[in-house]
Amino acid sequence: MRHFAVVLLFLCRCCAAGQNEPIQTFVIPHSHMDVGWVYTVQESMHAYAANVYTSVTEELSKAADRRFIAVEQEFFRLWWDTVATSSHKKQVRQHVKEGRLEFIIGGQVMHDEAVTDLDDDILQMTEGHGFLYETFGVRPQFSWHVDPFGASATTPVLFALAGFNAHLVSRIDYDRKDAMQRNKKLQFVWRGSPTLKEKQQIFTHTMDQFSYCTPSHLPFSNSSGFYWNGVALFPDPPKDGVYPNMSLPVTEETVQAYAKTMVENIKLRAAWFRTNHVLWPWGCDKQFYNSSVQFNNMDPLMKYINQNSKDLGVTVQYATLSEYFQAIYQSDVVWEPRGSEDFLPYSTEPHQAWTGFYASRNVLKGVARQASSRLHAAESLFARYRVGFPDGPVPRDWALERLRALRWAVSEVQHHDGITGTESPKVADMYLQHLSQAAAGVDELLAALALLPHSPEKTASVPGTRRRGEGVRQPLERHVVIYNPLAWNATAVVNVTVSFPTAAVFDNVGKPVRAQIQRSARSNVTYDLFIVAELGGLQHRRYLIRFSEEKCSGGGCDWTYEAEGVTFERRNIRDGRKTGRRLLPVMNGCYELMFDQDTNLLHSITHLQEKRRVRMTQDFWQYDANGDIKSGPISDNYIFSANGSAVRAYEAVEMEIVPGRIVTEIRQRFYREEGDKDYTYSITTRVPECFGRRRPCHRLEQTCSLGPLHLNTEVVLRTSSCLRTNRTLYTDDNGYQMMKRTHRKFTNNTLARNYFPMVRAAYIQDDVSRLALVSDRAHGVSSQADGQLEVMLHRRLRNNLPWNLGYNLTLDDSSVATPTLWMTLGSIGVASQLGQRDAVELQHRPVVLPIDPPERSWQEEEARGGAPPVRSVVLPPNLHLLSLSIPGWNYSSDHDVHLRHVNSGEDLHPEPDYDRVLLRIMHLFEEGEDPELSKPVAINLKHVLQGIGEVKKLEERSLTGTWDISRLQRWKWKTADDLKTNNNSCRSGGEEPFTVTICAKEIRTFFVHFASGNF
């Protein structure tokens, strides 16, 4: 008993000693600079952003203890390239070398986490990291994701793959954050991937309730606290340097009051964390444009606190984020691991579910995804060209300039107030302008590359052709190149819009190509020409389309089917009407679709192989939004707050069926009012026929048209089935992994809080069948009833919330949105095999490039010694070629060599590196998802890439390319379950030269060097 008392006394004294130790506070100066949102990039640069980096650079030079973290690279790079003087650049290099200016995240932007795609998240990080490493020799190792609206489980995986040691988030559900604060669980080790688990785990810090801004309330002043430079002014900075809302200066009279406020806040925060260290962010939106006044007030305040630290119980120091995390890492605490659950959706209050932005600005989301896909295709085509024709006719600098412009534009729009649709209208226009201009430049590059002489094969005579100059009128012709940007062989149906009702198609060996032509679903003056294209992986082919103003006759005409539609009477939808009496079947090799002639709606789908019939309807519904804050919760760019249940968005439906030999098209047009002349919504469903080596008949391609909408309406496509799903839904996380979404009940706002982001895919399933949708852009998705899949496609909103009106954050979006979905139905096993690949193939469909008629016929080109055909590059079905590009960043693969170069003091203006090819390969399947496709895959890259050239050297790198993977040693955080990391657990033995084994859900990145003169 006495022994127990001694031990107890000892423990009490230890605890008291620990409690008497002052709280170590890390004051982290920062400025949150949105790449968009309310103001355009150009407006922000002029008003404050350029001044941030100019003044911070100068002020850091005045005191060695000062610090600053820089986050979004777009603003910094614009400043570096267009504003910074040589003196500023020299100072920046010194600050970076000394660790006083630290680059955090390092991507072009702080990307959104809910509606961004894996491809684009990696792209924008790679662009920023490449610049930082080439210029300063630094590699960001920490994140600062303080403003995205919710946190995905994919983001920490990507950061871990990029070499990060810790991750920081802020915006998570208000009630969840409250509970985590009370229980001191704001910090944990996150294993974002259920397959990779501890191999890519990362320590994660969740900001407390004060988030990334300094507490603004001062009990002794009407001005905001700790923001001595005030609030930024637009469009021009004030000439006298006096800004609105400048805090009271720190003087002998105010320092004690300031210290009391700061210390009280520090102690409040310290109670929510497990260690004696407090991260105290100093800054907020658009701060530090006058760093002199900021530091000149904080310096004496911190000095006062440290001089009185014994009485106050707090010490303070300027710090970078790495200094804070280093202290946490050295605290030797055992942390609780967190599985692959994400923090989506995100709510700030009971009636404020931030689930509306999943569908805001549908057109922008579509344009951004299309630009990304175009970039993906151009990158691989240019890489092939550079390897095969290093001295070819397409200027390499011209080509890289166009690629970099689109990389910049696609990266820029991933900002958390960009792709989300939460920006002002003028900023949305800025994103669209940057994307369209850069995409047009890349289209020029694609056309130039496709016209090179290494693509035609030896050809037979194209029927009907005559040499120019023979006095015979040339027939109407159109030449196109179709490129398959994926490393899989494909049989695809490509749609080319034409102006003539009759056409014949020939490939580049003069052979007629199976095609179908019909009047377009979207226009009465154009026609849709469907071409069956057989393409190898990363292969392109030329096609000749010959038109006729009269009925087609002669060679090739029998290969083009001229399809004609049958229109069914417009039907009014009345509740209680009998249905199912007059069913019309549409069949292919996979399905039998039944359409109800009493409603003109889908009635059921039968999966023929399984002989299972699933009752199913599909139509448009709308939520009516409240626009008056006095009447209750509102919907806006960010928030979805339904003013009651959804109602049908139409009164009548018209149907037209176009039977075809390649596709059969069902066109359903939905009329808001029965007597309306024009329809408001439509679904065009294409049911493919089965033929060729791999012509998938299981995909039902659906293109919707919505708009213009009525004001304050939010429209959904509702697919209702007889599947017993208990309202459980599965959605993808940034296109990387699927998340199970169990329907939850809340005291308030249950409907909106059960909406989730759908970046690429969503599905519901019962014990037997899975109903899946994959999409060409992000949407919001929910399952509000058993067997139901509801996708929010379009929104148009206006409200009188002063904050929205003041910043012009309106969503009065009168555009017509035309998203595409692929719908599949089948057994769970088959659906698992096809689902991941379907999502990738919709994302990267074959690219159609109109080209000018060649000066010589293709036969003449070949007779003059044309080059051999393009060889295909093909990966196994469970591996995806995520990236094949020439980044252009010029740095040594040896880090020590590169650092010596950076620190040499020479003026660094490196020429782009055109010989280094960046290759990423991703395993599509989760562990145990499929008996065969989930297995590790060993491939010989020398063999796989021989269609491009001869591989001479292979270097494995981190995700963004800046680390040699053999030298990357991430911090190993202690966890309660003490799992030992084994990065090679799925690989047996050492890998042979050029042979790599890629395990489930891995993304492996390489630098590839090819022999010169491959062709």
Side-chain angles (χ1 to χ4, degrees):
M1 187 71 178
R2 182 182 176 188
H3 175 74
F4 174 77
V6 171
V7 172
L8 183 62
L9 178 63
F10 173 78
L11 291 174
C12 289
R13 285 177 175 172
C14 287
C15 291
Q19 290 172 355
N20 290 331
E21 291 180 5
I23 299 168
Q24 188 178 3
T25 308
F26 295 79
V27 177
I28 300 183
H30 76 99
S31 181
H32 185 72
M33 300 188 285
D34 288 301
V35 182
W37 189 37
V38 177
Y39 304 102
T40 66
V41 169
Q42 294 76 13
E43 288 174 325
S44 293
M45 278 294 291
H46 175 70
Y48 81 95
N51 289 336
V52 169
Y53 289 115
T54 299
S55 66
V56 164
T57 298
E58 294 168 355
E59 289 304 311
L60 290 183
S61 300
K62 296 178 181 178
D65 63 333
R66 291 176 176 177
R67 302 286 189 272
F68 193 79
I69 63 170
V71 184
E72 295 89 354
Q73 283 306 298
E74 177 158 333
F75 281 130
F76 180 81
R77 290 177 66 180
L78 288 171
W79 175 80
W80 183 263
D81 290 339
T82 64
V83 178
T85 64
S86 57
S87 175
H88 286 140
K89 291 183 177 182
K90 185 177 181 181
Q91 287 176 302
V92 167
R93 292 186 188 281
Q94 188 64 28
H95 298 332
V96 171
K97 185 178 179 180
E98 295 171 356
R100 298 195 288 121
L101 173 63
E102 184 172 65
F103 295 104
I104 302 299
I105 305 177
Q108 285 290 94
V109 297
M110 186 187 299
H111 70 257
D112 173 65
E113 298 195 38
V115 297
T116 52
D117 187 84
L118 171 80
D119 291 1
D120 305 323
D121 291 344
I122 295 173
L123 168 71
Q124 70 88 23
M125 275 203 298
T126 302
E127 280 300 284
H129 287 192
F131 164 76
L132 289 174
Y133 191 57
E134 179 185 83
T135 308
F136 303 109
V138 297
R139 300 170 288 202
Q141 297 179 47
F142 306 96
S143 88
W144 181 265
H145 260 223
V146 296
D147 207 27
F149 319 131
S152 87
T154 296
T155 301
V157 176
L158 298 183
F159 285 158
L161 289 168
F164 284 25
N165 286 313
H167 179 37
L168 186 147
V169 300
S170 182
R171 291 186 181 268
I172 65 173
D173 259 352
Y174 70 98
D175 45 4
R176 186 178 293 187
K177 179 175 279 192
D178 288 346
M180 292 169 70
Q181 281 187 174
R182 290 194 305 271
N183 298 316
K184 293 189 176 184
K185 292 188 176 183
L186 290 169
Q187 295 170 318
F188 49 87
V189 173
W190 200 351
R191 296 168 182 160
S193 165
T195 293
L196 300 179
K197 301 182 182 72
E198 72 279 359
K199 286 191 290 186
Q200 299 301 339
Q201 68 185 17
I202 190 168
F203 180 82
T204 302
H205 172 103
T206 310
M207 287 280 200
D208 56 46
Q209 68 186 41
F210 295 101
S211 192
Y212 63 87
C213 290
T214 310
S216 59
H217 175 66
L218 290 179
F220 55 91
S221 172
N222 291 328
S223 298
S224 297
F226 309 97
Y227 302 132
W228 292 283
N229 56 195
V231 177
L233 276 182
F234 287 80
D236 302 306
K239 294 181 179 179
D240 59 4
V242 178
Y243 287 82
N245 201 33
M246 297 178 74
S247 300
L248 288 174
V250 175
T251 63
E252 291 183 2
E253 291 74 24
T254 62
V255 67
Q256 190 171 358
Y258 266 115
K260 183 175 184 293
T261 300
M262 186 172 179
V263 168
E264 286 177 351
N265 182 260
I266 289 169
K267 289 183 174 179
L268 179 63
R269 285 175 147 158
W272 298 327
F273 294 92
R274 294 179 59 195
T275 72
N276 204 37
H277 312 93
V278 169
L279 188 159
W280 204 79
W282 177 34
C284 199
D285 292 31
K286 308 175 188 69
Q287 286 293 306
F288 282 87
Y289 46 83
N290 187 345
S291 298
S292 174
V293 69
Q294 287 283 84
F295 282 114
N296 287 340
N297 280 279
M298 183 58 87
D299 285 352
L301 173 57
M302 291 176 60
K303 181 178 180 181
Y304 176 86
I305 292 174
N306 287 330
Q307 287 174 341
N308 296 276
S309 62
K310 188 173 182 180
D311 295 328
L312 297 175
V314 167
T315 64
V316 292
Q317 66 186 77
Y318 291 126
T320 60
L321 194 59
S322 64
E323 290 173 309
Y324 169 74
F325 278 126
Q326 187 74 245
I328 298 296
Y329 183 62
Q330 293 173 352
S331 65
D332 207 33
V333 172
V334 176
W335 300 99
E336 182 177 316
R338 177 182 178 84
S340 59
E341 304 87 3
D342 60 10
F343 291 97
L344 291 166
Y346 162 62
S347 294
T348 50
E349 295 178 15
H351 290 284
Q352 290 191 357
W354 293 44
T355 56
F357 77 87
Y358 302 158
S360 293
R361 301 201 190 281
N362 182 279
V363 172
L364 174 61
K365 286 177 166 67
V367 170
R369 187 74 67 85
Q370 291 160 16
S372 173
S373 298
R374 209 68 160 187
L375 176 62
H376 179 271
E379 295 277 20
S380 60
L381 198 57
F382 179 61
R384 291 201 68 148
Y385 163 75
R386 276 295 305 159
V387 173
F389 292 87
D391 300 315
V394 176
R396 62 184 190 178
D397 291 342
W398 175 85
L400 186 60
E401 179 185 349
R402 274 147 183 76
L403 289 172
R404 282 181 162 173
L406 191 52
R407 291 173 192 168
W408 186 288
V410 172
S411 297
E412 176 185 76
V413 79
Q414 307 312 315
H415 176 68
H416 56 271
D417 276 304
I419 193 76
T420 53
T422 53
E423 65 277 3
S424 66
K426 68 178 177 182
V427 173
D429 291 342
M430 177 200 75
Y431 291 132
L432 288 168
Q433 182 184 25
H434 292 177
L435 287 166
S436 60
Q437 288 178 345
V442 162
D443 280 348
E444 292 178 6
L445 171 61
L446 282 167
L449 295 174
L451 285 171
L452 291 173
H454 64 293
S455 58
E457 301 173 11
K458 291 186 177 181
T459 60
S461 175
V462 177
T465 59
R466 292 179 183 268
R467 294 173 59 99
R468 295 178 184 229
E470 291 185 2
V472 179
R473 179 177 176 268
Q474 287 290 312
L476 297 169
E477 292 181 351
R478 185 169 173 182
H479 297 257
V480 298
V481 169
I482 301 177
Y483 175 55
N484 174 18
L486 295 173
W488 299 319
N489 293 330
T491 302
V493 172
V494 174
N495 183 14
V496 179
T497 301
V498 299
S499 301
F500 295 90
T502 303
V505 183
F506 305 91
D507 68 11
N508 58 328
V509 295
K511 180 181 176 182
V513 175
R514 191 186 300 270
Q516 176 178 318
I517 194 166
Q518 61 201 39
R519 190 171 292 279
S520 174
R522 298 186 187 180
S523 169
N524 290 326
V525 297
T526 59
Y527 297 84
D528 289 331
L529 176 63
F530 298 102
I531 302 171
V532 179
E534 297 270 357
L535 295 165
L538 299 189
Q539 194 175 63
H540 59 276
R541 216 180 270 276
R542 296 190 197 185
Y543 292 85
L544 167 65
I545 305 171
R546 175 146 300 143
F547 302 109
S548 174
E549 296 172 335
E550 301 175 354
K551 193 72 175 177
C552 183
S553 62
C557 291
D558 294 340
W559 286 75
T560 301
Y561 179 72
E562 296 181 6
E564 296 183 358
V566 178
T567 302
F568 295 81
E569 181 182 355
R570 187 181 301 189
R571 294 292 184 180
N572 185 287
I573 303 300
R574 297 187 181 91
D575 292 334
R577 166 177 283 198
K578 291 183 178 180
T579 60
R581 298 174 299 174
R582 297 187 301 152
L583 300 181
L584 186 67
V586 176
M587 296 181 64
N588 70 356
C590 294
Y591 304 117
E592 179 184 59
L593 288 76
M594 289 290 189
F595 289 88
D596 192 332
Q597 295 183 66
D598 290 325
T599 62
N600 287 334
L601 296 176
L602 179 65
H603 174 271
S604 63
I605 299 179
T606 300
H607 193 278
L608 297 178
Q609 185 177 358
E610 299 166 15
K611 299 180 180 178
R612 186 185 185 193
R613 181 189 184 197
V614 177
R615 286 290 305 271
M616 191 182 303
T617 60
Q618 196 175 52
D619 57 356
F620 294 98
W621 294 66
Q622 73 181 41
Y623 292 97
D624 294 321
N626 171 42
D628 183 6
I629 58 174
K630 296 179 181 178
S631 300
I634 61 165
S635 281
D636 63 10
N637 299 40
Y638 305 87
I639 294 167
F640 172 41
S641 184
N643 190 22
S645 300
V647 297
R648 274 199 177 91
Y650 63 95
E651 282 190 357
V653 186
E654 190 175 87
M655 181 170 66
E656 180 184 6
I657 296 180
V658 187
R661 295 178 183 173
I662 292 176
V663 295
T664 291
E665 203 167 74
I666 301 98
R667 303 170 177 177
Q668 296 165 291
R669 304 180 183 98
F670 296 78
Y671 294 83
R672 187 181 282 126
E673 305 288 341
E674 184 177 10
D676 285 354
K677 179 181 178 182
D678 299 317
Y679 60 87
T680 306
Y681 316 102
S682 71
I683 306 173
T684 301
T685 302
R686 290 172 182 158
V687 182
E689 296 300 323
C690 301
F691 50 85
R693 289 179 296 173
R694 190 185 181 274
R695 173 71 187 115
C697 67
H698 68 283
R699 300 169 182 161
L700 302 174
E701 179 177 325
Q702 298 188 300
T703 299
C704 300
S705 174
L706 304 90
L709 306 185
H710 279 165
L711 194 59
N712 285 331
T713 57
E714 302 171 85
V715 179
V716 302
L717 176 66
R718 179 176 286 180
T719 305
S720 302
S721 75
C722 64
L723 299 182
R724 300 297 182 185
T725 63
N726 196 31
R727 294 190 288 184
T728 298
L729 172 71
Y730 298 81
T731 70
D732 73 298
D733 220 37
N734 307 108
Y736 177 68
Q737 57 192 350
M738 300 301 294
M739 312 294 289
K740 184 177 181 179
R741 311 295 193 182
T742 303
H743 192 275
R744 300 169 60 197
K745 291 184 179 180
F746 299 91
T747 304
N748 298 293
N749 216 16
T750 292
L751 191 157
R753 293 186 76 174
N754 277 287
Y755 253 85
F756 300 91
M758 169 189 176
V759 177
R760 288 190 189 177
Y763 65 81
I764 55 174
Q765 64 185 30
D766 60 12
D767 294 337
V768 178
S769 299
R770 177 179 294 178
L771 172 64
L773 295 175
V774 297
S775 178
D776 70 342
R777 67 197 70 182
H779 304 291
V781 64
S782 185
S783 183
Q784 298 291 338
D786 198 30
Q788 193 179 92
L789 198 56
E790 177 176 295
V791 183
M792 185 175 289
L793 297 179
H794 205 10
R795 316 173 76 218
R796 184 179 182 183
L797 304 165
R798 178 176 284 274
N799 60 73
N800 58 4
L801 184 68
W803 190 80
N804 284 341
L805 295 176
Y807 285 124
N808 194 24
L809 293 175
T810 59
L811 196 62
D812 193 354
D813 186 351
S814 60
S815 64
V816 175
T818 55
T820 294
L821 301 164
W822 284 355
M823 181 169 66
T824 62
L825 176 69
S827 68
I828 293 174
V830 172
S832 295
Q833 294 174 7
L834 299 174
Q836 290 280 6
R837 184 155 170 162
D838 282 348
V840 172
E841 290 186 342
L842 176 56
Q843 179 108 336
H844 299 295
R845 286 173 283 186
V847 177
V848 180
L849 303 168
I851 59 174
D852 293 332
E855 294 182 3
R856 294 185 297 270
S857 71
W858 300 342
Q859 298 84 1
E860 289 177 307
E861 288 182 8
E862 194 66 25
R864 295 169 68 95
V870 175
R871 300 170 68 184
S872 61
V873 176
V874 182
L875 288 173
N878 49 358
L879 298 185
H880 167 44
L881 184 67
L882 196 64
S883 307
L884 181 70
S885 66
I886 295 177
W889 301 114
N890 194 334
Y891 49 79
S892 172
S893 296
D894 186 314
H895 181 63
D896 296 330
V897 172
H898 180 56
L899 277 187
R900 285 197 296 270
H901 179 60
V902 169
N903 296 328
S904 65
E906 299 174 9
D907 191 18
L908 301 175
H909 295 288
E911 289 295 315
D913 184 342
Y914 290 99
D915 298 323
R916 176 188 286 155
V917 176
L918 184 145
L919 169 73
R920 291 191 190 95
I921 299 177
M922 173 182 171
H923 196 301
L924 293 175
F925 287 81
E926 297 282 359
E927 187 177 57
E929 184 178 357
D930 184 87
E932 291 299 321
L933 295 175
S934 292
K935 291 180 178 179
V937 184
I939 56 172
N940 185 297
L941 288 177
K942 192 178 185 73
H943 174 73
V944 168
L945 299 176
Q946 65 183 355
I948 298 176
E950 182 187 356
V951 176
K952 299 296 289 184
K953 184 181 178 182
L954 196 65
E955 308 169 45
E956 185 160 10
R957 308 292 292 187
S958 60
L959 182 68
T960 58
T962 56
W963 285 91
D964 178 340
I965 205 71
S966 65
R967 297 184 64 175
L968 175 58
Q969 299 293 324
R970 296 173 56 240
W971 292 353
K972 293 177 173 58
W973 296 83
K974 292 183 179 180
T975 57
D977 55 6
D978 196 28
L979 292 181
K980 303 298 183 184
T981 302
N982 183 2
N983 291 324
N984 299 313
S985 59
C986 83
R987 295 186 263 278
S988 57
E991 294 183 337
E992 296 294 324
F994 303 110
T995 297
V996 298
T997 300
I998 302 175
C999 306
K1001 295 313 290 186
E1002 281 190 336
I1003 300 173
R1004 296 186 68 179
T1005 303
F1006 304 91
F1007 285 160
V1008 185
H1009 299 268
F1010 291 88
S1012 60
N1014 285 289
F1015 293 99

